[in-house]
Amino acid sequence: MDSRLISVDRWAQGSQVYFLTHLHADHTKGLSSTWARGPLFCSRLTAKLFPFKFPDLDLSLLRILDIGRWHSLSLVSHSGSETTFQVMAIDADHCPGSVMLLFRGEFGCMLYTGDFRWEATSERAKKGRDMLLSALKDDVVDTLYLDNTYCNPSYDFPSRQLAAQQVIDIIVSNPEHDIIIGIDTLGKEDLLLQISSVLKIKIWVWPERLQTMHLLGFRDNFTTNSTLTRVRAVPRYSFSIDTLEGLNTSHPTIGIMPSGLPWVRRPVEQNGDIFGSFLRNRYKRGKCSAQGEIQTLERIHQYMYSVPYSDHSNFAEIEDFVKLVQPTNLKGIVSSSSCYVEPIYYFGRLCGANQSTSQLRNRHKRKGSDEMVGTVCPDASYGDNNFVGSERKRGKTLKVKFSGVRLSRLSILRRKNHRGAKIVENNSDDQNS
DNA sequence: GCGATCAGAT
DNA sequence: CACATCTGATCGC
């Protein structure tokens, strides 16, 4: 089979079928309302949300993938031969509509997690686990494309349920304060719902976000009337410490930033350690305190709190997932993340083929392997499929090796000290709900 | 003017 | 350092 006939979260020309794991902007980069390169497969909920983000997109291109069901699709290779493959969507528990994608075909068996959270404590994750295991049966996952956003042992944040409780605690212990919570256009709904139901209050959201909430079926917990509540969820980018200081001149207000990432500025400590001085500083305290009870809640400013509420898996969860899947090969899909190290560095010993880091430089060898590699193409800005290895050297130097054409990308990013993800479009027309 | 890409900020 | 996302500038058509 020709390579690149299937694209996942990648919208360049040349594929016959396209898959979207979820509707976050960094996964739809290259997708626009005029896009029409082929059928676009996604979950039912993602399809429902689609018109909101891409009002003019031709909806007849959308194909629904039912969660937990194998779908059979066929492709015609450039040489003219037809081939079929199967795909199953499994709940990724990252944001509404998000799925992992399991592929099975002559190229082998591949699992693409998209962004995912694998919370051992959540009912949803257990369901996903059962679904995944029964789908895999005795199949071996040849390649696992893994959300390695927080693939570093330093990332040790708690469950979202617990982090949400921390937010509630802040709200309760500041009864006279207005509360502002930074969120994005999709995601963190469960946090807001938990606050709303535990405290029995509505939460203010901006008008477009209310429409999204209604689409998701949440009717009663949200409002656009700010006189009804002291808790407001606002676009994350729209407020800063400066904004908060301004607000506090008229009314006591506390800001809460839910994120798996620390929000504090880096205390300078050069030691060349692989985990980096920054992470070490943030988490050292928590890790050394009472057994497993991590206190990562931080008051980073007089009016600002950072809460470790993350829609990505922490390191332990990623590790659990890799242990469960036991893939032959493993690739990170987030190359510009805090994880400078390919996940195989940490998990090589857990993989079926018992790989070592040195194997990063070799393409996986099996029947038809040359065709398999590159068949599923993660978005280049994230998941460099051509990324074959990385190593950290002493000090701050990072050496990255690429195979193939995209040699310059990361090195350019590094030179400019700048990240690659760019927004193409965000149309949120005020229509329907 | 529009889409794509980049730059910068939070 | 970086999450994911926004605004605004610039380039090519």
Side-chain angles (χ1 to χ4, degrees):
Chain A
M1 195 176 80
D2 301 287
S3 65
R4 294 189 164 237
L5 291 178
I6 303 170
S7 283
V8 180
D9 293 349
R10 180 185 179 278
W11 310 101
Q13 216 166 10
S15 294
Q16 282 178 24
V17 288
Y18 293 82
F19 292 85
L20 175 63
T21 58
H22 64 291
L23 260 178
H24 276 158
D26 53 329
H27 291 250
T28 56
K29 193 160 58 76
L31 185 58
S32 73
S33 288
T34 58
W35 186 89
R37 289 185 168 141
L40 196 171
F41 292 83
C42 62
S43 69
R44 189 171 298 280
L45 187 49
T46 294
K48 194 174 173 185
L49 293 163
F50 236 104
F52 202 77
K53 196 139 193 178
F54 299 100
D56 299 325
L57 188 101
D58 179 4
L59 294 181
S60 70
L61 292 171
L62 298 187
R63 305 280 186 279
I64 308 290
L65 292 172
D66 291 315
I67 308 278
R69 207 189 97 209
W70 283 110
H71 294 70
S72 200
L73 304 171
S74 40
L75 301 169
V76 180
S77 71
H78 295 311
S79 55
S81 60
E82 188 172 304
T83 180
T84 61
F85 70 97
Q86 283 81 46
V87 59
M88 182 189 286
I90 296 167
D91 184 11
D93 203 7
H94 168 71
C95 72
S98 67
V99 289
M100 308 187 233
L101 297 168
L102 180 59
F103 294 92
R104 206 165 60 176
E106 66 183 55
F107 44 76
C109 180
M110 295 189 280
L111 178 58
Y112 190 94
T113 65
D115 290 349
F116 82 123
R117 178 98 203 229
W118 196 248
E119 268 173 356
T121 53
S122 106
E123 234 10 81
R124 266 178 88 166
K126 280 177 200 152
K127 237 183 196 168
R129 183 194 154 94
D130 291 344
M131 194 176 286
L132 183 59
L133 286 178
S134 69
L136 285 175
K137 291 213 186 78
D138 299 323
D139 271 1
V140 171
V141 172
D142 297 299
T143 305
L144 172 62
Y145 294 88
L146 183 70
D147 171 15
N148 56 314
T149 304
Y150 295 129
C151 189
N152 182 310
S154 304
Y155 285 119
D156 196 13
F157 41 78
S159 71
R160 285 175 291 194
Q161 210 268 328
L162 224 139
Q165 189 55 51
Q166 294 182 356
V167 174
I168 290 168
D169 291 344
I170 295 172
I171 298 173
V172 168
S173 51
N174 294 279
E176 302 304 320
H177 283 74
D178 278 0
I179 307 289
I180 284 182
I181 303 170
I183 61 168
D184 295 314
T185 51
L186 194 62
K188 311 258 193 302
E189 289 77 14
D190 289 345
L191 166 64
L192 302 181
L193 284 171
Q194 194 171 328
I195 295 167
S196 172
S197 64
V198 170
L199 300 181
K200 300 192 171 42
I201 51 171
K202 284 184 189 284
I203 293 175
W204 182 93
V205 290
W206 63 101
E208 293 82 1
R209 197 61 158 96
L210 186 68
Q211 287 190 309
T212 305
M213 294 303 193
H214 287 172
L215 268 182
L216 297 173
F218 310 131
R219 288 248 145 227
D220 306 324
N221 303 279
F222 302 99
T223 178
T224 51
N225 182 343
S226 59
T227 65
L228 296 181
T229 178
R230 67 183 177 100
V231 179
R232 309 200 291 280
V234 305
R236 186 170 40 140
Y237 54 87
S238 74
F239 85 106
S240 60
I241 285 173
D242 284 349
T243 323
L244 269 181
E245 286 176 346
L247 287 168
N248 271 279
T249 60
S250 53
H251 191 88
T253 305
I254 280 173
I256 297 174
M257 276 295 175
S259 171
L261 267 184
W263 237 65
V264 285
R265 247 150 264 130
R266 169 176 47 175
V268 181
E269 177 193 26
Q270 287 302 341
N271 58 11
D273 189 279
I274 189 166
F275 298 141
S277 53
F278 176 70
L279 293 171
R280 179 175 283 275
N281 266 295
R282 183 183 183 202
Y283 288 99
K284 183 165 52 182
R285 189 166 29 113
K287 289 189 80 100
C288 293
S289 64
Q291 69 248 339
E293 195 60 40
I294 315 131
Q295 183 51 265
T296 43
L297 170 70
E298 280 203 45
R299 189 170 198 171
I300 62 173
H301 177 266
Q302 185 182 5
Y303 308 123
M304 182 76 91
Y305 288 83
S306 172
V307 178
Y309 188 101
S310 169
D311 286 325
H312 294 274
S313 301
N314 65 30
F315 184 79
E317 290 162 355
I318 296 173
E319 186 171 34
D320 282 350
F321 188 77
V322 175
K323 276 181 186 162
L324 182 75
V325 175
Q326 291 192 287
T328 306
N329 202 356
L330 179 59
K331 290 177 182 175
I333 61 175
V334 185
S335 61
S336 60
S337 81
S338 51
C339 173
Y340 282 102
V341 187
E342 274 285 294
I344 197 87
Y345 174 86
Y346 298 115
F347 303 132
R349 71 200 149 78
L350 301 177
C351 290
N354 196 25
Q355 297 169 67
S356 68
T357 47
S358 66
Q359 282 176 274
L360 288 169
R361 289 181 187 80
N362 300 319
R363 296 217 154 174
H364 179 49
K365 295 283 189 288
R366 73 190 284 281
K367 183 170 55 107
S369 65
D370 287 343
E371 295 152 10
M372 188 187 85
V373 174
T375 300
V376 172
C377 306
D379 177 3
S381 71
Y382 268 115
D384 268 299
N385 237 2
N386 291 335
F387 181 93
V388 287
S390 70
E391 39 186 277
R392 192 172 269 268
K393 302 183 96 177
R394 284 262 148 221
K396 303 179 77 173
T397 318
L398 175 71
K399 190 173 177 185
V400 182
K401 291 180 196 290
F402 288 82
S403 71
V405 290
R406 286 198 234 111
L407 162 85
S408 56
R409 184 170 185 102
L410 191 54
S411 52
I412 289 169
L413 292 182
R414 282 184 48 74
R415 254 202 308 279
K416 297 197 169 178
N417 200 17
H418 184 269
R419 195 166 164 270
K422 298 299 178 273
I423 302 312
V424 170
E425 158 155 3
N426 178 51
N427 291 330
S428 42
D429 242 9
D430 293 0
Q431 58 184 21
N432 85 41
S433 63

